[in-house]
Amino acid sequence: MKINLISILFSTLIILGASNAHAQDKTIIPPPFMGQGSDWVEATFQSMTLDEKIAQLIMIPAYSNKDQVHVDSISKLVSKYQVGGIIFFQGGPVRQAIMTNKLQEKAKIPLMISIDGEWGLGMRLDSTMSFPYQMSLGGISDEGLIYQMGKEIALQCRRVGVHVNFAPVVDINNNVNNPVIGYRSFGEQKENVASKALAYMKGMQDNKVLANAKHFPGHGDTNVDSHYGLPVIHFSKIRMNETELYPFKKLFDEGLGSVMVAHMNIPAYDATHNLASTLSKPIVTDLLKNDLKYEGLVFTDALNMQGVAKFYEPGEVDMKALLAGNDMLLNTMNVERTIFEIKKAIDRNEITIEEIENRVKKVLQAKYWLGLDKYEPVDLENLYEDLNNPKAQMLNKKLTEASITLLRNQDDIVPIKNLEKHKIAALAIGTDEETIFQKSLVRFGEVDRFFISHNASIEEFQTLMEQLEDYTLVIAGVHKLQMRAGASRFGVTSETKFFLKKLIAQKPTIVSVFGNVYSLAEFDQLSKASAVFATYQESENAQDIASQIIFGALGAKGKLPVTVNADFKVGDGLETSGGLRLGYSSPEEFGMDSRDFDGIETLVNEAITNEAIPGAQILIAKSGKVIFHESFGIHTYESNVKVANDHLYDLASVTKISTSLAALMKLKSEGKFDENGTLGAFLPMARGTNKENLKYTDILTHQSGLQAWIPFWKETVRKNGKFKWSTFKHDQSDRFPILVAQDLYIHKKYKEKLYRRICDSPVGEQGKYVYSDLSFILAPEVIKAITGEDFEDYLQKNIYKKIGANSLTFNPYLKYDLDQIVPTEYDSLFRKQLLHGTIHDEGAAMLGGVSGHAGLFGNANDLAKLMQLYLNDGIYADQVIIGNNVVSEFSKCKFCEEGNYRALGFDRPRVPGSENGNAAKDAPASSFGHTGFTGTYAWVDPENELVYIFLSNRVNPTRENSKLSQLGTRTKVMQVAYDALSKSAQ
């Protein structure tokens, strides 16, 4: 037995020797401040008294959301004792900056300012950014994004005057019931935690903010919160070395600037009863500083936490922490008593002045590295804007996009395809208010919204189940969960569990859980859902991006960083493709600056101020992503209804390319229409007339000889100004069933008279450009003759529903509240009323609101989907809607050499490069689209992959208002996008 023990000991020594030899071979990067600023450090050090040296090791708490009494008390502590630093807690950025400047004025040696900003300043300060929790980041494959986050957090910290950020958390969350770490950890795998933490650390320290790894030697496997009690860790040194210490050692080797010691009792290192690791010399000095040879700054965890505070008085606990080997005492609650107790310890020979002075010099070196030898006050100008800059917001979205994890995807239901085959409900579980998730889902198509609170009764859940019966797909978001488990199990009730289980069993259901990933285990049979998303938290970004992944605008990428249960294990995560549908982003994704789009608001406000328009909707998309989408102004000058992004405008002549041309191009791609054919070949009523042999190539380029327009309504009015009795009535009847405007109905057969009037009209010189409405008025009859289908039904079934453009509709008053529809002109001649919900164009109105030249209503978002379909040459959401390159052919100029710049149905730049043309100055000759009489504009640029929509009602209150064209607002707004593109390329 003795021989075996000797052999084992000998083998162990050999292994340790080999390990030490390996360690010596490895390149160890020292903390970044080591050896910095020796002259400044020495001169500063020599100017200090013993009390001031002790005070340099003290960091006191401060709040910028408290009253002046608090500010004055902290100011007095700084002045009197010259403490080394401040840790800021709750408050606001401007208030904290002001307070920082005031406190720095009181300090002989500039203060080291710190904050607990694990997910950015937003963890502590209002009006600032919160990046995803570390558990979210744990599932990200691209650690370059985490480095960029660390960099941005550092820049924001420096901007507000902060030098040390107590992050990253490097605790390995290998205890599901951990009440204090949980979502603050990168996950349960030590390698993953270490690599993610390293990226975060380097991002900060490369940008002059000291990182801080916490909570040494590892707080991940405990079920006690050290804020309220003292956790006891019953692990061996072998286990601690192999697991808990692993990420710390990795960061130590790479130059970690500081570390925070946790309040835990660890008998394997120090068996002293009720002694926290913070106060343990065997842990802080022997393990951390001697065995692991860590040379950076060692901070205590907050010394007012109950893990230590309930055992020792303020001052005494600080002294014991210093004796244990800590360099910086965090949250000292009694500065005077602390200095007194430390001096007593010196007198008792428990610590030497030399030991204290060495730590002071280390602090001064860190301050020098942080630039505090040349301290400058925080600049308050544009502070809020700088802390919420668009590039940082884009990075935040990218981090969320990379983290969201798709855990189930039966039959590849995500991304959702074939919208026309689905009836979709968006259900918010846990709230009775519309969520960001629901609002985001609605952008992609027709989605009905439902709500149910977590504490709803069984009866309420049953009623909801009945309401969902007719839906083919339910997208359920689980909201307002508690982030910590505790006794309430994240706040998930048994009724909620039962309902969701039943819903999943009865119909296709996509479940997105907006909360702590461990909460997924609370839902029975969740793995049986059609799709399951873990989003890790309930942020606006998480809800927005989850919706985009569900509809295929973005792809799923994340991997689960922890095991939730037997169904959802660490490393799980399915990937999907993005780019299927129009997505939603910002200019920063394409290297542009959102602030370069501020000129749009200036231009639109100029138009509103000059009464060119009451309001407008504007959308710009780049490479399949909406990068600008805002609404301005009000519905009418007499109205107080603000324009919103989902409100509908009368599209006027944009109808031509959105209805007639869309249908003809689709039929062309199916071999059912040929632009080289004649009107008579496709429209029976044209046969035998002077329109029979007009070629569609000439018709669509407006050089067929057709008249520009016919004022049909004037033929219905007598000389006394009243309508002919056989034409209009103010009451609806079988003979007068068609609504033209409010309380005005037209004879059921008048449409035939109108069509005959067109067919009987004279034909002018062929080959001469004359913009004409007439062929587009006939287009619905052409479509019906070819397909046998009603015009609007054909468009809805074959195009609009497929792309999710549900607001594109005729006669919107039948489907929408009037508050959602923007009025157009007050028609003082024909209908003698404000036109609200009915079409502005007289001819389209007399056709019952349905025509191929005017009549379509819609919002910018849905019109952009159609324009994106055109940009994609007829493909959208993986569906070939208009095939065989028909769109690209129709959008080309056919008779440019003859002086006609029009394409087939599409408008093109009249004079490319012109400041006052029909397109933006920098819009290339290949771009195309159309304008509308009411003040609308839709344009596509294939070369730059741009879609541009401008919707307004410039005809309100009268069509005589031409200021919008005089100002050139529509094309100037588009030019803003080109200027931003050009600037980004420089």
Side-chain angles (χ1 to χ4, degrees):
M1 184 68 177
K2 190 179 294 184
I3 295 173
N4 289 340
L5 286 172
I6 292 171
S7 299
I8 292 169
L9 180 59
F10 183 69
S11 300
T12 302
L13 289 171
I14 292 174
I15 292 169
L16 288 172
S19 176
N20 287 335
H22 172 72
Q24 290 171 2
D25 293 338
K26 188 167 54 176
T27 301
I28 305 298
I29 301 172
F33 57 79
M34 293 300 292
Q36 293 276 315
S38 57
D39 291 343
W40 180 83
V41 169
E42 189 61 32
T44 304
F45 176 78
Q46 293 298 333
S47 71
M48 300 166 69
T49 66
L50 177 59
D51 283 15
E52 288 173 344
K53 290 173 183 176
I54 295 171
Q56 271 301 295
L57 308 179
I58 292 174
M59 190 167 271
I60 59 175
Y63 298 76
S64 60
N65 65 348
K66 291 190 175 183
D67 58 17
Q68 190 61 40
V69 173
H70 172 75
V71 176
D72 291 342
S73 68
I74 301 300
S75 183
K76 287 176 183 177
L77 286 173
V78 173
S79 297
K80 183 175 182 179
Y81 299 106
Q82 293 300 309
V83 295
I86 305 288
I87 173 173
F88 272 106
F89 288 94
Q90 280 73 22
V94 175
R95 287 170 290 164
Q96 179 170 309
I98 292 170
M99 192 172 173
T100 296
N101 289 344
K102 180 175 182 178
L103 295 176
Q104 292 286 21
E105 287 178 1
K106 304 291 183 181
K108 296 176 184 176
I109 302 167
L111 296 159
M112 180 186 288
I113 307 295
S114 67
I115 200 165
D116 214 354
E118 295 165 18
W119 49 87
L121 295 179
M123 182 172 173
R124 297 297 181 190
L125 304 181
D126 61 34
S127 308
T128 57
M129 292 185 61
S130 289
F131 290 90
Y133 297 141
Q134 286 190 190
M135 187 66 77
S136 304
L137 305 178
I140 292 178
S141 299
D142 182 5
E143 291 177 354
L145 288 172
I146 300 175
Y147 175 89
Q148 291 299 323
M149 182 194 76
K151 175 181 178 180
E152 182 57 38
I153 288 175
L155 295 175
Q156 293 186 18
C157 282
R158 296 302 303 228
R159 182 65 184 86
V160 80
V162 169
H163 312 109
V164 183
N165 184 23
F166 293 121
V169 173
V170 301
D171 301 314
I172 301 163
N173 202 73
N174 37 24
N175 186 330
V176 174
N177 296 314
N178 193 318
V180 63
I181 303 301
Y183 63 89
R184 297 165 63 195
S185 167
F186 285 114
E188 68 181 40
Q189 294 178 315
K190 62 183 183 181
E191 297 86 359
N192 188 46
V193 170
S195 61
K196 300 293 190 293
L198 186 60
Y200 190 175
M201 177 200 89
K202 287 187 174 181
M204 286 195 289
Q205 292 192 171
D206 286 354
N207 292 277
K208 290 291 183 175
V209 163
L210 212 58
N212 182 277
K214 59 187 188 185
H215 306 82
F216 184 85
H219 208 321
D221 199 346
T222 175
N223 58 5
V224 175
D225 185 345
S226 53
H227 289 86
Y228 307 107
L230 182 62
V232 180
I233 307 299
H234 293 289
F235 300 131
S236 68
K237 289 183 180 181
I238 294 174
R239 151 69 191 257
M240 294 291 292
N241 186 61
E242 290 180 350
T243 304
E244 276 73 17
L245 291 175
Y246 179 88
F248 288 99
K249 291 187 289 186
K250 288 292 184 183
L251 268 62
F252 293 170
D253 290 347
E254 295 291 336
L256 174 70
S258 69
V259 67
M260 179 183 288
V261 182
H263 304 314
M264 301 185 298
N265 183 256
I266 313 173
Y269 291 108
D270 191 334
T272 306
H273 182 62
N274 281 340
L275 186 69
S277 45
T278 334
L279 311 184
S280 169
K281 191 169 185 178
I283 292 175
V284 181
T285 297
D286 297 343
L287 173 61
L288 176 58
K289 290 189 168 182
N290 295 338
D291 294 352
L292 299 178
K293 302 187 185 309
Y294 182 64
E295 298 179 315
L297 282 179
V298 179
F299 285 80
T300 68
D301 206 341
L303 292 172
N304 61 338
M305 291 166 60
Q306 289 303 297
V308 291
K310 73 177 181 179
F311 299 108
Y312 301 98
E313 292 295 322
E316 185 183 7
V317 69
D318 305 78
M319 176 270 292
K320 288 185 175 296
L322 194 70
L323 296 184
N326 294 283
D327 300 318
M328 291 293 282
L329 308 175
L330 192 62
N331 267 36
T332 291
M333 304 308 292
N334 188 326
V335 177
E336 182 177 13
R337 178 75 185 276
T338 297
I339 294 173
F340 174 76
E341 292 290 346
I342 291 172
K343 289 170 73 174
K344 281 175 60 178
I346 294 172
D347 293 340
R348 294 192 300 264
N349 295 320
E350 293 175 331
I351 188 169
T352 67
I353 292 178
E354 183 182 10
E355 288 179 273
I356 291 175
E357 289 179 340
N358 287 337
R359 297 181 202 182
V360 172
K361 287 182 178 180
K362 192 195 296 187
V363 171
L364 292 176
Q365 287 177 340
K367 287 189 173 185
Y368 180 87
W369 179 79
L370 290 165
L372 289 174
D373 61 314
K374 298 180 179 67
Y375 166 76
E376 291 184 4
V378 180
D379 182 2
L380 301 180
E381 188 174 357
N382 297 321
L383 181 58
Y384 172 83
E385 291 78 9
D386 292 345
L387 296 176
N388 293 276
N389 68 85
K391 285 185 70 174
Q393 292 173 355
M394 187 67 237
L395 173 62
N396 206 354
K397 289 182 180 179
K398 286 296 180 184
L399 287 160
T400 304
E401 178 187 342
S403 71
I404 289 179
T405 308
L406 177 61
L407 293 168
R408 290 289 182 272
N409 194 18
Q410 295 178 18
D411 301 322
D412 292 325
I413 193 169
V414 172
I416 297 171
K417 298 178 182 177
N418 302 319
L419 287 181
E420 70 279 9
K421 297 180 180 179
H422 289 291
K423 184 178 182 183
I424 302 174
L427 170 61
I429 299 174
T431 179
D432 55 5
E433 297 179 348
E434 186 178 37
T435 64
I436 298 295
F437 186 47
Q438 289 175 310
K439 291 178 180 178
S440 301
L441 291 168
V442 168
R443 296 175 301 188
F444 294 96
E446 190 167 1
V447 178
D448 295 328
R449 286 153 279 188
F450 297 87
F451 317 89
I452 191 84
S453 65
H454 278 303
N455 58 3
S457 65
I458 287 290
E459 291 75 20
E460 289 174 306
F461 276 117
Q462 182 56 41
T463 299
L464 175 61
M465 189 69 75
E466 292 169 1
Q467 292 173 331
L468 296 173
E469 187 174 341
D470 293 337
Y471 289 86
T472 62
L473 176 62
V474 176
I475 304 173
V478 183
H479 300 271
K480 298 190 181 300
L481 294 171
Q482 298 169 14
M483 284 306 295
R484 300 188 190 279
S488 66
R489 306 308 304 171
F490 304 103
V492 180
T493 65
S494 57
E495 290 84 358
T496 301
K497 293 181 185 180
F498 178 77
F499 166 77
L500 193 56
K501 178 181 178 181
K502 186 176 179 181
L503 179 65
I504 289 168
Q506 288 191 2
K507 61 176 65 258
T509 306
I510 296 171
V511 181
S512 187
V513 179
F514 296 102
N516 191 318
V517 68
Y518 289 116
S519 69
L520 271 66
E522 300 301 314
F523 299 100
D524 301 329
Q525 303 296 311
L526 186 59
S527 63
K528 299 291 195 300
S530 301
V532 178
F533 283 93
T535 70
Y536 304 95
Q537 61 194 97
E538 186 161 11
S539 65
E540 289 190 11
N541 279 341
Q543 295 180 70
D544 169 35
I545 289 166
S547 77
Q548 297 202 52
I549 295 173
I550 287 170
F551 280 100
L554 298 173
K557 305 171 185 175
K559 303 293 180 184
L560 208 58
V562 293
T563 292
V564 174
N565 55 20
D567 295 317
F568 308 121
K569 298 179 181 179
V570 64
D572 285 356
L574 304 170
E575 296 188 9
T576 59
S577 298
L580 271 71
R581 289 188 173 88
L582 197 63
Y584 300 87
S585 186
S586 69
E588 280 66 27
E589 180 164 355
F590 303 100
M592 294 180 278
D593 190 329
S594 293
R595 289 166 289 199
D596 289 335
F597 286 75
D598 291 346
I600 292 176
E601 183 173 6
T602 301
L603 288 166
V604 176
N605 285 339
E606 176 191 32
I608 292 172
T609 301
N610 283 280
E611 295 191 349
I613 52 174
Q617 271 178 19
I618 297 171
L619 183 148
I620 299 170
K622 163 70 176 158
S623 302
K625 301 282 184 72
V626 175
I627 59 172
F628 186 95
H629 187 196
E630 292 188 23
S631 293
F632 303 87
I634 52 180
H635 279 200
T636 69
Y637 296 108
E638 294 78 27
S639 166
N640 58 1
V641 179
K642 292 183 178 180
V643 180
N645 285 351
D646 62 347
H647 289 180
L648 280 68
Y649 275 90
D650 180 338
L651 301 183
S653 282
V654 173
T655 299
K656 293 180 174 69
I657 63 169
S658 305
T659 63
S660 303
L661 190 62
L664 292 175
M665 287 193 295
K666 179 164 182 59
L667 293 171
K668 162 73 175 179
S669 72
E670 296 168 348
K672 299 175 182 177
F673 173 77
D674 185 354
E675 72 277 16
N676 294 308
T678 63
L679 182 62
F682 300 109
L683 183 63
M685 74 172 68
R687 294 166 192 164
T689 73
N690 57 0
K691 313 292 184 307
E692 179 177 10
N693 295 318
L694 298 182
K695 284 184 61 176
Y696 250 104
T697 303
D698 292 327
I699 290 172
L700 294 175
T701 53
H702 299 277
Q703 60 174 37
S704 66
L706 289 172
Q707 285 181 270
W709 67 294
I710 298 173
F712 302 105
W713 72 271
K714 290 185 178 180
E715 299 174 6
T716 68
V717 179
R718 295 175 178 156
K719 290 182 179 180
N720 62 6
K722 294 184 177 181
F723 293 119
K724 295 178 181 177
W725 70 269
S726 60
T727 306
F728 289 105
K729 299 293 183 186
H730 292 294
D731 296 309
Q732 190 176 29
S733 65
D734 289 341
R735 290 181 63 213
F736 296 87
I738 302 169
L739 183 73
V740 173
Q742 186 177 351
D743 299 325
L744 188 64
Y745 299 88
I746 196 168
H747 194 281
K748 61 183 178 181
K749 292 186 177 181
Y750 194 85
K751 178 165 63 173
E752 298 169 12
K753 182 176 182 181
L754 190 150
Y755 288 150
R756 284 198 305 272
R757 179 74 175 80
I758 293 174
C759 289
D760 292 342
S761 65
V763 174
E765 179 184 347
Q766 296 190 33
K768 179 182 178 181
Y769 174 78
V770 176
Y771 179 79
S772 174
D773 283 344
L774 301 188
S775 68
F776 290 94
I777 294 174
L778 296 173
E781 295 302 309
V782 173
I783 306 307
K784 187 174 183 179
I786 296 173
T787 66
E789 296 182 54
D790 173 81
F791 185 50
E792 184 171 15
D793 289 345
Y794 178 84
L795 290 167
Q796 291 289 348
K797 182 175 72 174
N798 291 284
I799 300 176
Y800 300 160
K801 288 185 178 180
K802 288 179 182 290
I803 64 175
N806 54 294
S807 77
L808 296 185
T809 184
F810 295 102
N811 294 317
Y813 68 88
L814 297 172
K815 304 175 185 177
Y816 293 90
D817 293 336
L818 287 181
D819 279 351
Q820 283 187 268
I821 307 169
V822 181
T824 52
E825 180 185 17
Y826 181 85
D827 183 358
S828 61
L829 297 176
F830 171 28
R831 286 153 287 187
K832 296 179 174 59
Q833 60 181 268
L834 177 66
L835 302 174
H836 193 185
T838 55
I839 185 62
H840 171 269
D841 183 270
E842 299 92 338
M846 294 171 70
L847 291 166
V850 180
S851 180
H853 76 295
L856 194 68
F857 284 71
N859 59 44
N861 185 58
D862 285 341
L863 182 57
K865 295 172 188 174
L866 184 63
M867 296 302 112
Q868 186 66 38
L869 170 73
Y870 294 163
L871 183 61
N872 297 344
D873 203 3
I875 299 172
Y876 195 85
D878 260 6
Q879 287 182 285
V880 178
I881 296 173
I882 302 173
N884 298 316
N885 306 115
V886 169
V887 178
S888 63
E889 286 301 314
F890 270 55
S891 61
K892 292 177 181 176
C893 187
K894 299 301 176 182
F895 302 105
C896 278
E897 293 182 2
E898 289 84 357
N900 182 348
Y901 60 91
R902 290 267 178 172
L904 292 175
F906 292 112
D907 198 0
R908 288 168 56 92
R910 189 178 301 113
V911 183
S914 170
E915 292 277 0
N916 302 306
N918 62 329
K921 176 174 65 70
D922 288 346
S926 60
S927 63
F928 59 93
H930 216 285
T931 57
F933 185 76
T934 54
T936 56
Y937 193 98
W939 210 260
V940 175
D941 175 356
E943 291 184 28
N944 294 289
E945 296 186 304
L946 287 177
V947 166
Y948 170 56
I949 309 293
F950 184 108
L951 302 183
S952 72
N953 54 335
R954 68 99 192 160
V955 294
N956 185 277
T958 171
R959 71 183 62 195
E960 302 304 322
N961 181 8
S962 60
K963 292 178 182 176
L964 185 65
S965 295
Q966 293 168 9
L967 291 170
T969 306
R970 290 176 289 185
T971 54
K972 286 179 180 177
V973 167
M974 189 177 187
Q975 183 60 37
V976 170
Y978 285 112
D979 291 342
L981 270 174
S982 177
K983 186 176 178 180
S984 69
Q986 293 175 357

